[in-house]
């Protein structure tokens, strides 16, 4: 164990946080999750993704937090909005959503120096059966992966669990992007791969904070980067879906910092609620 200032690093240079840090991360994670909850009623056909971006900026100001992405490595937005075959890092634009579009919205905020990072899927109008199936598998891949995390297991175990689940549904896991360590910094060790071999990679230890954010494609796993330098799309233009939680490893398992306060993490939950309210 190495200690740099107040940070404790394990042999893999991964920060091991103190118990009181869990409360700080929960507060940050809950703001990010609340913003994503608030967005549920905004996503519909005809809405521009830049309108969703402006809504997010207003909520960031309302909740008294900072955007982690505005100005980060030159990025100029408070969200990434990735529609249909966009895998990640989609830039908000003037383009309007069409009925049947599926989209991932990713928001990271800073509260008292701590980073809250989460993303989830949304649906504009009525999606195809294939899109719904993809969203379900992407959601379940994340949650099954999270269930596999506990001290003594490895990051390879996590990646293998997600990969095997996706492959069992004849879908693929994107390999070009990964989760990351987080806490008082946006990106830190370790890189969290969503594929792997059991028993490989660093061992989970109590106090690790990181994101798990598998990107699942209906087609092949390959991606390409658009000329804007940010937007990643599927090479075969197949649909892609992603869910992301920020978690901390405890003595027995994990604590999820970015749970939805209104149980709106999975899109069917809020779509059915809206339908039943009429």
């Amino acid at each position: 164990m190495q200690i740099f200032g107040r940070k404790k690093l394990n042999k893999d240079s991964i920060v091991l946080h103190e118990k009181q840090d869990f409360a700080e991360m929960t507060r940050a994670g809950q703001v990010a999750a609340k913003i994503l909850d608030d967005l549920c009623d905004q996503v519909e056909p005809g809405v521009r993704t830049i309108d969703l971006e402006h809504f997010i900026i207003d909520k960031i100001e309302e909740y008294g937090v900072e955007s982690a992405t505005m100005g980060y490595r030159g990025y100029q937005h408070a969200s990434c909005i990735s529609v249909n075959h966009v895998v990640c890092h989609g830039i908000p634009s003037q383009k309007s959503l069409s009925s049947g579009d599926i989209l991932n919205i990713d928001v990271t905020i800073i509260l008292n120096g701590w980073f809250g990072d989460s993303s989830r899927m949304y649906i504009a109008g009525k999606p195809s059966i294939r899109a719904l199936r993809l969203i379900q598998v992407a959601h379940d891949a994340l949650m099954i992966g999270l269930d596999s995390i506990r001290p003594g297991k490895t990051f390879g175990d996590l990646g293998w669990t997600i990969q095997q689940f996706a492959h069992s549904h004849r879908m693929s896991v994107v390999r070009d992007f990964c989760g990351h360590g987080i806490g008082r910094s946006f990106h830190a060790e370790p890189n969290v791969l969503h594929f792997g071999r059991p028993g490989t990679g660093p061992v989970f230890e109590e106090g690790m904070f990181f994101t798990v954010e598998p990107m699942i494609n209906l087609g092949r796993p390959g991606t390409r980067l658009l000329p804007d330098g940010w937007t990643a799309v599927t090479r075969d233009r197949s649909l892609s879906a992603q869910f992301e939680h920020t978690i901390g490893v405890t003595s027995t398992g994990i604590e999820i910092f970015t749970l939805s306060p209104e149980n709106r993490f999975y899109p069917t939950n809020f779509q059915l609620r809206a339908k039943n309210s009429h």
Side-chain angles (χ1 to χ4, degrees), residues 106 117 142 178-180 194 211-215 242-245:
D106 192 338
D117 185 3
L142 169 64
C178 61
H180 52 88
H194 304 111
T211 69
V212 183
E213 47 186 299
M215 296 155 228
Q242 176 191 21
F243 288 84
E244 173 187 12
H245 270 316

Side-chain angles (χ1 to χ4, degrees), residues 141-211:
L142 169 64
M143 302 312 294
I144 289 169
L146 295 182
D147 284 344
S148 73
I149 300 172
R150 57 185 179 274
K153 291 288 188 176
T154 70
F155 281 88
D157 295 328
L158 168 64
W160 181 85
T161 298
I162 292 171
Q163 177 184 4
Q164 290 300 111
F165 180 79
H167 288 181
S168 73
H169 290 274
R170 297 187 177 182
M171 299 183 192
S172 63
V173 178
V174 171
R175 297 186 172 219
D176 298 330
F177 300 94
C178 61
H180 52 88
I182 196 169
R184 282 193 169 273
S185 59
F186 192 176
H187 295 99
E189 292 294 330
N191 288 330
V192 182
L193 304 181
H194 304 111
F195 60 94
R197 292 184 292 113
T200 63
V203 175
F204 295 123
E205 297 180 58
E206 184 177 2
M208 290 179 172
F209 294 168
F210 52 87
T211 69

Side-chain angles (χ1 to χ4, degrees), residues 16-79:
L16 302 180
H17 296 84
E18 304 293 338
K19 287 187 177 181
Q20 61 267 27
D21 298 338
F22 280 72
E24 298 287 352
M25 284 296 286
T26 296
R27 281 189 277 270
Q30 284 297 282
V31 174
K34 182 64 170 68
I35 292 171
L36 294 178
D37 279 357
D38 294 339
L39 275 166
C40 292
D41 300 325
Q42 307 301 313
V43 176
E44 57 186 20
V47 171
R48 301 175 304 170
T49 56
I50 195 65
D51 296 328
L52 300 176
E53 162 76 3
H54 292 156
F55 181 86
I56 291 166
I57 292 172
D58 288 344
K59 288 297 177 180
I60 286 172
E61 182 176 347
E62 177 183 338
Y63 296 143
V65 296
E66 302 173 58
S67 167
T69 55
M70 293 187 79
Y72 180 77
R73 296 184 177 176
Y75 194 74
Q76 296 301 313
H77 300 277
S79 65

